[in-house]
Amino acid sequence: MHPMDMMKVYARVGEVYRARVGQAVAEYGEALRGAASSVAGAAAPKDPAEVWREAVSYGFDAAQRGLLFWDTLRQRGNNWLAHEKAGKPPLLAFDFEIVADARTFERPANYALARILPPEGLTPAGGKRPFLIIDPRAGHGPGIGGFKRDSEVGFALRAGHPVYVVIFFPDPEPGQTLADVSLAEAEFLRIVHARHPATDKPVVIGNCQGGWAAMLVAALDPDNVGPIVVNGAPMSYWAGNDAENPMRYAGGVLGGTWPALLASDLGGGVFDGACLVDNFEYLNPANTYFSKYYNLYSRIDTEAPRFLEFERWWGGYFLMNRAEIKWIVENLFVGNKLAAGKAAWAEGRTFDLRAVRSPIIVFASLGDNITPPQQAINWVADLYPTTQALKDAGQVIVGLMHESVGHLGIFVSGAVARREHAQIVDLLEYVEALPPGLYAMRIEEIQEDGAVTYDVTLTERKVEDLAQLQKYGRRDEIPFEVVANVSDANARAYEALVHPALSWLVTPEMGAALRAFHPLRVARWAFSDLNPWLVALAPLAEFARSQRTRRDEAGVFAAWERFFAASATAGWDFYRRMRDASVETEFFRVYGSLAMLDPDLTAPAHPNLVEEPPAEVASAMAAMGEGGFTEAAVRVALLARRLGAGIQRLSALKQIRELVGDEVGLIALPADEAQALVRRQAIIVNHAPDEALATLPALLHSLGERQHLVELLDRLLIHLPVGERQAAFASDLRRFLESAPLPQPDGQMAALASSSRAARH
């Protein structure tokens, strides 16, 4: 790169850094002013006696809250010890039974398939397809998908579906690899499908890292997978925007994969999941070190149960084999090889996401700084660079974007479960009938007579629209390719120079001892009944609970407490903003400079995986005149859909199914056959709409079939709102089908095609 161009890049990086510093200072000052205003607005005591009374009341309240606070931490420690002693079972809000244990498989893995036992009153309905939910193995234990009654598990049960979950045990099997895990999960999927032979293929839901695990399973065994839902799943690890997504720089800052290898060697050959949890804690130090504890302290009378419930899951640290974390970091975190089709699971065999033919729903959030929307969705553009490529591949992808919820809220928030996850479950019954394409899913809230209901709209989008999520057209991903190269070099040096000595020096027993003193574990067992200094805490806390003295929330002492708390939070947030800005700036200065020296680096790294239409396009076009009434009805629906506004309502889809679904014949087909039929007709309509219309009479083999199709059109026009162009198309089609003899004259077919073109234009 020319020196002047390099100086321009450096200047741009410096501008972004200065802007971020200025914003950090401004937000810190605004936070302090907001905190001070609460003190200024407090009711000042009128006389010394009132000052004394308020001070005494506040002092007693603060002391009692302190006792209850430390006792809650003691309970957290005791809960942690009890959970460890019990073997860290899944923290599900539902009873379950083990169906299959992968530790007994030919290639063992520390995974198991569990069936959720429906609570009383939630018996699965006959004929409903099963759900298989895969939770993340990202440091914590399983259970996040069914952590509460209002959850993915809960709403699938309420909709009448049998539900299975993939759970895992704390310790990996000796020699276990990520390939073993994926093969085990693929076997679980086959078991679930075999247990419900009369239903359609199972729905697979993956949470966070369970999302890419679900996609790996679907790539390994696409014939057994129904619709796929990936929630907050990082699929494109290099993606993101500056000043928004600090975690994506971790690989470059740490020098690649070697820290994970070092941690594994210090663990006696296993990787401690507490290290991954530390990465999450790192993102928000204000919450990690202050806010969540102050929130507990300030609301100790009501907050303790919620705090203890969440900490039971947050404090469960599971292990991985060295080979597992090495594969994850090399192929996903640093290498970003999944969408490129380079993530190998065996010698000469890679995971190919293009093999996945099932509809995919992607749920992400703009408030998620762990898996930002770019990481959740950019893989689509890598696999299918254009909208036409996506449609030619016959793929249906639905994107749902939340405006604000954080990463964990995607899985554990009851409000998100009641709104987003419940509507996803509802949509899954219809998603396989959608023609191929990219859709934006939006949930509308409807209030009638004090009751809240929801409706879903699906708006067709272009793959090219995904560029709106990026600030720099993904050019900022170029330095991450350099990170991958540097990581490979560092890893080779580590494996040659350090690993042999550490693997000989650190035994598994020494690794277990070191893990026991990880700060996250010490914070739990040190504040438990194992600590003799806390023996008297429980009775003192019980006494304080029985003698509670409440402070004056509007008083000046309470206001000053809130001021100091807000100031502390603002200080931590200021530190975080400055830290993230500095890390990001140095990342681009170092790796950006190296990237500029290599003119062959481009972004995105793999934009042309789909270079020509698949064979299915030619096959569908060659069979344009083949089929029957169902093919004809679907083709008419797709032709009419082209004349609409590109928006579909789930309520309208339900109404269409109720009005004509049984008579069209699509419902009677197995879901994969129905999906294939819709896919073929969509290819025909997308590539040759006029010819599709001209050959339509060949699919209606009798006058009765044509009259029946006209009757269905009339029924829909009566009950559904349609646009003028669609109404004109229906009118032309009705006249043509009613008057056309058998076989259809070429002239009349051409006239109808000409009328349709006029209506479209």
Side-chain angles (χ1 to χ4, degrees):
M1 176 175 284
H2 192 276
M4 290 302 296
D5 294 333
M6 187 173 294
M7 292 301 296
K8 290 179 181 179
V9 173
Y10 281 157
R12 176 56 182 159
V13 171
E15 288 174 9
V16 173
Y17 178 72
R18 286 191 293 273
R20 292 189 66 180
V21 170
Q23 183 180 4
V25 172
E27 291 181 355
Y28 179 62
E30 184 179 349
L32 290 183
R33 287 190 294 273
S37 65
S38 66
V39 176
K46 299 177 181 178
D47 54 59
E50 188 173 345
V51 172
W52 175 251
R53 285 194 298 271
E54 188 174 328
V56 171
S57 172
Y58 175 81
F60 271 106
D61 174 73
Q64 290 173 339
R65 281 187 292 140
L67 283 171
L68 296 175
F69 170 82
W70 290 109
D71 187 60
T72 302
L73 294 189
R74 181 189 64 84
Q75 294 178 54
R76 180 184 72 170
N78 289 342
N79 290 345
W80 183 82
L81 291 173
H83 192 230
E84 292 279 316
K85 185 177 180 180
K88 302 186 208 177
L91 295 174
L92 292 162
F94 305 87
D95 293 331
F96 63 91
E97 64 177 5
I98 300 295
V99 174
D101 190 335
R103 293 176 296 185
T104 65
F105 288 2
E106 182 179 353
R107 295 181 62 169
N110 65 328
Y111 278 68
L113 174 66
R115 182 179 76 91
I116 298 295
L117 302 177
E120 186 176 352
L122 290 181
T123 304
K128 289 271 190 175
R129 69 198 318 164
F131 276 50
L132 178 66
I133 297 175
I134 304 176
D135 278 337
R137 186 163 161 240
H140 304 101
I144 200 69
F147 192 60
K148 299 178 180 179
R149 292 286 172 164
D150 285 347
S151 60
E152 297 160 4
V153 170
F155 280 100
L157 288 172
R158 292 176 200 178
H161 296 273
V163 179
Y164 296 80
V165 295
V166 174
I167 64 174
F168 44 90
F169 303 100
D171 300 306
E173 291 294 292
Q176 173 180 312
T177 66
L178 245 296
D180 297 331
V181 172
S182 295
L183 292 171
E185 289 172 334
E187 179 61 24
F188 293 158
L189 181 66
R190 288 189 284 272
I191 291 172
V192 171
H193 196 189
R195 287 170 64 93
H196 301 271
T199 69
D200 292 322
K201 297 175 182 178
V203 172
V204 181
I205 298 178
N207 296 318
C208 187
Q209 293 197 45
W212 56 253
M215 294 294 287
L216 298 186
V217 171
L220 281 176
D221 190 7
D223 293 335
N224 275 304
V225 181
I228 304 167
V229 183
V230 287
N231 299 312
M235 299 281 291
S236 298
Y237 283 82
W238 293 352
N241 283 325
D242 60 16
E244 295 176 8
N245 312 123
M247 184 171 275
R248 69 176 182 149
Y249 306 116
V253 171
L254 297 174
T257 63
W258 74 267
L261 302 177
L262 173 62
S264 300
D265 289 338
L266 292 176
V270 295
F271 179 82
D272 188 358
C275 297
L276 294 177
V277 180
D278 252 348
N279 289 338
F280 301 138
E281 300 276 23
Y282 164 89
L283 283 175
N284 190 352
N287 182 70
T288 297
Y289 301 117
F290 181 77
S291 298
K292 75 173 181 179
Y293 294 111
Y294 176 71
N295 187 54
L296 173 64
Y297 173 74
S298 63
R299 304 177 184 179
I300 194 63
D301 298 300
T302 58
E303 182 67 12
R306 190 209 64 81
F307 175 85
L308 292 173
E309 178 189 34
F310 180 76
E311 287 291 306
R312 287 182 68 230
W313 176 75
W314 188 252
Y317 311 119
F318 284 52
L319 308 180
M320 291 185 185
N321 273 342
R322 187 180 193 272
E324 291 181 283
I325 192 64
K326 184 175 186 288
W327 190 95
I328 292 173
V329 175
E330 284 185 346
N331 288 277
L332 303 178
F333 293 169
V334 174
N336 198 37
K337 298 177 181 178
L338 182 57
K342 297 180 180 179
W345 63 274
E347 186 69 29
R349 306 183 71 177
T350 60
F351 293 102
D352 184 3
L353 296 186
R354 292 171 297 174
V356 181
R357 307 304 301 275
S358 303
I360 302 168
I361 297 178
V362 179
F363 180 21
S365 173
L366 292 172
D368 187 348
N369 65 345
I370 293 177
T371 302
Q374 296 86 353
Q375 290 188 12
I377 198 67
N378 272 6
W379 61 274
V380 176
D382 288 344
L383 289 178
Y384 310 106
T386 65
T387 305
Q388 192 60 53
L390 176 69
K391 292 184 175 183
D392 286 347
Q395 186 57 270
V396 173
I397 298 177
V398 178
L400 172 61
M401 189 77 71
H402 196 283
E403 291 294 326
S404 60
V405 71
H407 184 70
L408 290 177
I410 291 176
F411 321 117
V412 302
S413 169
V416 170
R418 289 187 292 272
R419 179 183 169 93
E420 277 76 13
H421 290 302
Q423 305 317 306
I424 288 174
V425 170
D426 204 11
L427 176 64
L428 285 170
E429 294 192 30
Y430 300 86
V431 71
E432 286 167 313
L434 293 175
L438 178 66
Y439 299 86
M441 174 180 175
R442 190 166 67 89
I443 299 174
E444 294 182 353
E445 188 173 295
I446 304 169
Q447 296 191 7
E448 294 181 355
D449 301 326
V452 177
T453 58
Y454 300 99
D455 195 8
V456 169
T457 61
L458 296 173
T459 305
E460 189 163 3
R461 299 292 192 192
K462 296 180 179 179
V463 171
E464 295 80 1
D465 293 340
L466 297 178
Q468 297 174 6
L469 293 171
Q470 323 295 326
K471 287 185 180 179
Y472 307 108
R474 301 184 69 178
R475 292 189 303 276
D476 59 340
E477 294 183 27
I478 296 175
F480 291 90
E481 292 195 56
V482 180
V483 173
N485 295 333
V486 170
S487 174
D488 289 341
N490 288 343
R492 286 194 296 270
Y494 176 88
E495 295 283 25
L497 302 176
V498 181
H499 170 63
L502 279 184
S503 61
W504 174 80
L505 181 64
V506 181
T507 65
E509 293 75 17
M510 291 175 61
L514 288 173
R515 286 193 295 275
F517 285 92
H518 190 285
L520 293 179
R521 290 187 177 86
V522 172
R524 282 157 175 80
W525 60 253
F527 292 96
S528 71
D529 285 346
L530 290 179
N531 188 340
W533 293 97
L534 301 182
V535 171
L537 189 56
L540 287 174
E542 188 59 37
F543 177 76
R545 191 175 289 109
S546 65
Q547 303 294 323
R548 282 289 280 129
T549 300
R550 305 303 173 92
R551 65 183 180 181
D552 180 8
E553 292 292 339
V556 69
F557 289 97
W560 274 106
E561 179 190 301
R562 289 191 289 269
F563 168 77
F564 287 121
S567 299
T569 301
W572 278 112
D573 285 339
F574 178 72
Y575 157 75
R576 172 179 54 81
R577 294 188 181 100
M578 293 298 295
R579 177 201 67 189
D580 292 347
S582 300
V583 168
E584 183 176 76
T585 299
E586 292 310 309
F587 176 90
F588 282 112
R589 280 181 175 168
V590 173
Y591 291 104
S593 299
L594 295 174
M596 286 186 283
L597 298 176
D598 187 348
D600 295 330
L601 295 179
T602 59
H606 312 284
N608 297 312
L609 284 176
V610 179
E611 297 178 349
E612 59 183 26
E616 188 174 357
V617 173
S619 174
M621 298 302 293
M624 187 181 300
E626 300 175 7
F629 183 82
T630 300
E631 285 81 0
V634 170
R635 186 180 297 184
V636 167
L638 293 173
L639 287 167
R641 179 176 172 274
R642 289 172 58 89
L643 306 176
I647 300 176
Q648 300 180 74
R649 287 187 173 273
L650 180 57
S651 57
L653 295 177
K654 292 180 179 179
Q655 194 172 5
I656 291 171
R657 176 177 290 190
E658 182 179 346
L659 290 170
V660 303
D662 291 334
E663 295 171 70
V664 167
L666 203 62
I667 298 176
L669 296 175
D672 53 347
E673 293 184 22
Q675 182 185 359
L677 188 153
V678 172
R679 185 188 298 129
R680 285 194 300 272
Q681 295 304 316
I683 289 173
I684 293 169
V685 170
N686 285 333
H687 282 268
D690 296 332
E691 290 81 353
L693 186 60
T695 56
L696 180 66
L699 308 182
L700 300 168
H701 304 142
S702 68
L703 184 61
E705 285 187 342
R706 298 179 184 181
Q707 292 174 341
H708 189 195
L709 183 58
V710 169
E711 291 172 2
L712 298 186
L713 282 173
D714 290 339
R715 196 182 309 166
L716 292 175
L717 289 172
I718 292 173
H719 292 90
L720 295 175
V722 296
E724 293 183 4
R725 298 169 69 198
Q726 290 175 312
F729 169 77
S731 178
D732 291 343
L733 182 64
R734 183 187 307 110
R735 287 195 298 269
F736 176 67
L737 291 178
E738 288 177 345
S739 61
L742 298 172
Q744 194 63 233
D746 293 340
Q748 284 183 294
M749 287 188 285
L752 181 56
S754 175
S755 173
S756 174
R757 284 195 296 270
R760 286 198 298 274
H761 299 297

